[in-house]
Amino acid sequence: MSEAAEKLRADKWLWQARFFKTRSLSAKLITGSHLRVNSDKVVKASATVKVGDVLTFPQGNHIRVIQIDGIGTRRGPAIEAQALYTDLSPPQPRDIGKPYAERGGRPSKADRKLGAQIKRGELE
């Protein structure tokens, strides 16, 4: 029984570690050949993962590289889930853009009216 507790299906582990909201979303990622376990592509959601494996998969706009530190018994709170892995991904640069203050702020209603009058040729 201890050997069975040391391994878990990849889709279930990704769901328990809270990388995906549902287990079917994690299974869809795996069946789409977007998961690598120790640099080997995985195409079946039933593939097993164990402690020490390194998972690589896309999430949002960046690639996640995760090392498995533990196999959970349930999908618990976020703090419990974060204890199951170590994030090996490099920090992603933030692309926030310029705030309104740096661009001169949002145009007021008067500014918009003035711009519309200039477009129409009413003002020169």
Side-chain angles (χ1 to χ4, degrees):
M1 186 72 169
S2 64
E3 186 176 320
E6 294 174 5
K7 292 184 177 182
L8 191 65
R9 287 174 56 114
D11 63 336
K12 192 170 183 179
W13 189 88
L14 287 169
W15 171 72
Q16 283 182 352
R18 293 186 167 267
F19 287 107
F20 296 97
K21 192 171 184 175
T22 64
R23 192 167 159 190
S24 61
L25 286 175
S26 62
K28 189 182 291 185
L29 172 100
I30 296 168
T31 56
S33 298
H34 298 293
L35 176 71
R36 290 180 179 264
V37 177
N38 298 327
S39 73
D40 296 327
K41 272 191 179 182
V42 176
V43 293
K44 291 185 176 182
S46 62
T48 58
V49 294
K50 62 186 180 312
V51 174
D53 284 348
V54 176
L55 307 180
T56 307
F57 58 94
Q59 188 179 32
N61 294 333
H62 60 281
I63 304 296
R64 301 293 301 262
V65 181
I66 305 297
Q67 181 178 359
I68 298 176
D69 293 337
I71 302 294
T73 56
R74 66 184 186 125
R75 187 173 199 257
I79 293 178
E80 232 178 77
Q82 290 169 354
L84 298 177
Y85 64 89
T86 302
D87 193 356
L88 304 175
S89 305
Q92 298 297 319
R94 292 185 171 221
D95 184 27
I96 297 174
K98 293 183 178 179
Y100 284 124
E102 287 183 22
R103 292 186 292 172
R106 286 181 63 179
S108 65
K109 187 173 182 178
D111 293 336
R112 290 193 305 271
K113 280 186 178 182
L114 182 62
Q117 289 173 349
I118 291 171
K119 277 186 179 179
R120 289 191 301 256
E122 295 174 5
L123 297 177
E124 295 181 24

